Amino acid sequence: MDDVSTGTLIAVLIIMVIISAYFSASETGMMTLNRYRLRHLAKQGNRSARRVEKLLSRPDRLISLVLIGNNLVNILASALATVLGLRLYGNAGVAIATGILTFVILVFAEVLPKTIAALYPEKIAFPSSLLLAPLQKLMLPLVWFLNVITRGLMHIFGIKFNTLHSDAVSKDELRTIVNESQSQISRRNQDMLISVLDLEKVSIDDIMVPRNEIVGIDINDEWKSIMRQLTHSPHGRIVLYRDSLDDAIGMLRVREAYRLMMEKNEFNKENLLRASDELYFIPEGTPLSVQLLKFQRNKEKVGIVVDEYGDIQGLLSVEDILEEIVGDFTTSMSPSLAEEVTPQSDGSVLIDGTANIRELNKAFNWSLPTDGARTMNGLLLEHLEEIPAEGTRVHLLGYDIDILEVNDNMIKRICILSADGAHRGQPKDLQTEKSER
């Protein structure tokens, strides 16, 4: 070492610091990579991504390799710095060299490279894998030996090494990823993805057409009345029944009925019944995600919802489920809700007691509770635990509600005066229209 010039020792020391910085940056870059993006790039055929993914498949070997290289270089750098200190400053040079080397390694071999690698992991990890891959093969015996010692110590301390680890994302984690991907995914697409994740939380009872709103034709009515209902029906499918909806006998496709009218000179009740499809029944309480798959598997588009006693509770279509995911296909407010809601000029909203809470929340951007009752009448009765008198004012979760009409043991009409933190009286489609102007 005495024969080596001081300049040469300084150059070697600088090289050692650079190598230490390489190992530090490589470690941080490898460990901070987005694993899902890495997997995507590897599947797309990116060679660097495949090489890095192979290295990360055995993180114990990778970490051992990086630490061996980093510590070996740092120890050699420390030895060189000590020699330089003694040569330049005598015995005092040891302390001086230690202080200077500590600062240099801390800043230039640790903090700076690791910070850069954390900010640009792909730009650091992909090129560094070109050297790490062959280096890992070269140093495999030493890496294996260190891993054996490490596993032995872990076993002594009761730490299980072979615990299964999965990179699978839970639904809550995926929901967080979607919510935080604003720069990559539009707000509408975010809402759709969240709606898909929430399908299991919503049952068919929450979105079905309730029994009292099911459009049907009594096959025992006069033929002229039946024809009038067919020609004026706004729906593509109509339930056929005898005298009462409880005696439903089929589901008629209106388009099929029109086709029969055109093809046959004689169109009567018998032909109408032949044209109807067999009813498809759905148990109440079925999650939307399950029912969507059942619709697809059974090649059905509309079903009748029944309770545990077989009584008809409502009607559900594939379109209802799709609208829960993508939103209404027409306007923010469904036609049925538009008949039950009347926004006032002062910002209040007149609402029928039978109005669906979920539809109100979507139309007005409210946050009324949906985990219990499905209608405003049910929600208020559940909250008050009694049938209120007309003129009663209720303060419910920030909403001021006046009860305007009570009849037949039901709240028929209410007025929501205000909603803390929510838009007052304007449906979402009107809000959007104003903001665009």
Side-chain angles (χ1 to χ4, degrees):
M1 188 70 70
D2 293 337
D3 297 334
V4 181
S5 65
T6 301
T8 303
L9 290 177
I10 293 175
V12 173
L13 184 60
I14 293 173
I15 294 173
M16 291 292 180
V17 172
I18 293 173
I19 295 174
S20 178
Y22 162 76
F23 281 115
S24 296
S26 298
E27 179 187 10
T28 302
M30 291 283 183
M31 296 307 164
T32 56
L33 276 172
N34 186 321
R35 299 298 178 91
Y36 301 102
R37 174 172 169 76
L38 179 66
R39 195 169 299 165
H40 170 72
L41 292 174
K43 289 181 179 179
Q44 294 296 318
N46 188 302
R47 291 184 178 179
S48 296
R50 288 180 176 177
R51 190 165 51 247
V52 171
E53 190 176 38
K54 187 176 181 180
L55 287 170
L56 289 173
S57 64
R58 290 296 303 269
D60 55 329
R61 291 183 178 179
L62 179 61
I63 291 174
S64 296
L65 172 65
V66 171
L67 291 179
I68 288 171
N70 207 347
N71 284 282
L72 184 61
V73 170
N74 287 343
I75 291 171
L76 288 175
S78 177
L80 286 177
T82 302
V83 172
L84 278 171
L86 288 171
R87 180 175 294 185
L88 295 175
Y89 303 105
N91 292 333
V94 176
I96 296 173
T98 301
I100 294 175
L101 184 64
T102 300
F103 174 79
V104 170
I105 288 182
L106 188 63
V107 174
F108 296 101
E110 293 292 336
V111 177
L112 181 61
K114 286 187 175 183
T115 302
I116 295 174
L119 293 174
Y120 307 101
E122 289 184 16
K123 293 182 179 180
I124 299 297
F126 286 3
S128 68
S129 65
L130 290 169
L131 181 58
L132 287 177
L135 196 60
Q136 187 181 63
K137 293 180 180 179
L138 183 64
M139 301 184 66
L140 187 59
L142 182 57
V143 170
W144 175 84
F145 177 71
L146 287 178
N147 283 343
V148 168
I149 296 175
T150 303
R151 293 183 186 183
L153 293 173
M154 291 174 66
H155 179 72
I156 292 173
F157 290 110
I159 302 173
K160 295 181 180 179
F161 181 81
N162 292 322
T163 303
L164 293 177
H165 175 71
S166 175
D167 289 331
V169 179
S170 68
K171 290 180 182 178
D172 291 335
E173 291 170 339
L174 185 55
R175 186 180 288 104
T176 301
I177 292 173
V178 172
N179 286 328
E180 292 183 353
S181 58
Q182 296 178 0
S183 60
Q184 305 294 328
I185 305 175
S186 67
R187 184 62 196 176
R188 179 169 180 80
N189 289 340
Q190 280 183 304
D191 292 339
M192 289 172 58
L193 290 171
I194 294 297
S195 297
V196 171
L197 293 174
D198 288 340
L199 280 184
E200 290 186 356
K201 296 181 179 180
V202 184
S203 72
I204 61 174
D205 304 351
D206 297 316
I207 67 168
M208 69 180 182
V209 178
R211 176 191 172 101
N212 61 330
E213 294 181 15
I214 294 178
V215 176
I217 294 178
D218 186 352
I219 202 67
N220 290 335
D221 284 347
E222 294 183 359
W223 182 243
K224 289 184 179 180
S225 174
I226 293 175
M227 289 297 296
R228 185 168 57 253
Q229 292 178 70
L230 273 177
T231 53
H232 291 85
S233 173
H235 302 283
R237 285 176 169 79
I238 301 176
V239 178
L240 299 181
Y241 62 89
R242 289 190 178 93
D243 297 329
S244 170
L245 191 61
D246 290 320
D247 191 14
I249 56 178
M251 183 72 68
L252 179 67
R253 288 176 289 172
V254 176
R255 183 180 296 180
E256 182 69 13
Y258 286 150
R259 187 184 65 80
L260 288 174
M261 289 181 190
M262 299 296 293
E263 290 182 354
K264 296 189 177 183
N265 295 327
E266 183 181 0
F267 185 63
N268 50 37
K269 291 183 180 181
E270 183 178 350
N271 292 331
L272 188 68
L273 289 173
R274 288 178 180 176
S276 65
D277 299 324
E278 185 179 350
L279 289 173
Y280 172 64
F281 294 101
I282 306 169
E284 67 175 350
T286 305
L288 289 189
S289 56
V290 174
Q291 187 54 49
L292 185 61
L293 292 176
K294 287 185 176 180
F295 271 139
Q296 185 179 29
R297 188 178 302 140
N298 297 319
K299 297 181 180 179
E300 297 285 351
K301 293 186 177 180
V302 181
I304 300 295
V305 181
V306 295
D307 62 14
E308 59 183 318
Y309 303 106
D311 295 332
I312 294 176
Q313 301 298 312
L315 180 143
L316 182 75
S317 67
V318 172
E319 183 180 280
D320 295 327
I321 301 179
L322 294 179
E323 285 187 350
E324 187 67 20
I325 298 173
V326 303
D328 293 331
F329 295 123
T330 52
T331 62
S332 297
M333 192 181 296
S334 65
S336 60
L337 184 63
E339 297 177 357
E340 300 170 327
V341 171
T342 308
Q344 303 297 297
S345 58
D346 61 355
S348 61
V349 187
L350 296 179
I351 303 174
D352 287 353
T354 56
N356 186 277
I357 298 172
R358 290 180 60 83
E359 292 188 8
L360 287 172
N361 285 340
K362 287 194 292 185
F364 292 96
N365 198 24
W366 290 345
S367 55
L368 293 166
T370 57
D371 53 352
R374 296 196 295 270
T375 65
M376 288 303 301
N377 171 63
L379 176 64
L380 290 171
L381 292 180
E382 187 179 87
H383 175 70
L384 295 172
E385 298 181 344
E386 63 178 358
I387 299 174
E390 294 181 358
T392 302
R393 173 168 291 188
V394 179
H395 186 75
L396 176 61
L397 299 176
Y399 298 86
D400 292 324
I401 305 173
D402 278 349
I403 297 173
L404 304 180
E405 183 181 347
V406 179
N407 195 8
D408 296 330
N409 297 325
M410 288 181 59
I411 299 173
K412 296 290 187 178
R413 200 158 180 78
I414 64 172
C415 177
I416 294 187
L417 303 175
S418 64
D420 295 347
H423 191 82
R424 300 186 181 187
Q426 293 290 344
K428 282 183 181 178
D429 50 343
L430 297 182
Q431 292 181 49
T432 304
E433 184 179 80
K434 287 187 177 182
S435 63
E436 291 175 351
R437 291 178 183 175

